[in-house]
Amino acid sequence: MGALLVGVDTMTNFINRCKIYEILYLNDSQAEQACLNLELALLELYTAILQFLAAASILYDNSAGVRALRAFLEPNKLTDFVEKCEVLQARADVEANNCDHTHSRVA
């Protein structure tokens, strides 16, 4: 249950950061390739976040016994999703930095 709560908190932070990137960088057509790369990175991250939330919802909807059994049989399922999202978030950070550099250069 702890991994589920930590994962939901992490996903919330990722969603907020992605929204900031969208507002800051994806409304400018001057840096097309950098923005396209950021948009693709955000799309992959949003997809992974939705996969995590779907898995968490399925896990949470089960009874306590089933949750305990799944935690025993698949101990890393939720943490693997979180780790995947952390990698994708790092990529989105790099792409956002590239957009920032491109915007700075254009300005």
Side-chain angles (χ1 to χ4, degrees):
M1 189 66 156
L4 176 65
L5 295 176
V6 169
V8 169
D9 181 57
T10 302
M11 296 307 128
T12 303
N13 290 331
F14 288 163
I15 290 169
N16 289 332
R17 187 180 298 177
C18 291
K19 186 61 181 170
I20 291 168
Y21 289 157
E22 287 181 39
I23 292 168
L24 288 175
Y25 302 120
L26 296 184
N27 295 321
D28 185 2
S29 63
Q30 293 180 347
E32 284 186 38
Q33 187 60 47
C35 289
L36 179 61
N37 291 344
L38 176 59
E39 191 173 357
L40 293 174
L42 292 176
L43 181 63
E44 286 183 44
L45 181 56
Y46 281 138
T47 301
I49 289 169
L50 288 174
Q51 290 171 340
F52 169 84
L53 293 174
S57 176
I58 290 168
L59 179 64
Y60 187 73
D61 284 342
N62 291 322
S63 67
V66 172
R67 284 195 303 257
L69 181 61
R70 280 199 162 168
F72 179 73
L73 295 176
E74 301 171 333
N76 298 326
K77 185 172 184 174
L78 291 178
T79 56
D80 289 346
F81 273 118
V82 173
E83 289 173 5
K84 178 181 178 182
C85 287
E86 287 172 347
V87 168
L88 292 171
Q89 179 60 52
R91 178 177 169 226
D93 288 341
V94 168
E95 299 301 343
N97 284 333
N98 289 341
C99 280
D100 187 47
H101 295 158
T102 305
H103 283 271
S104 296
R105 189 192 64 193
V106 169

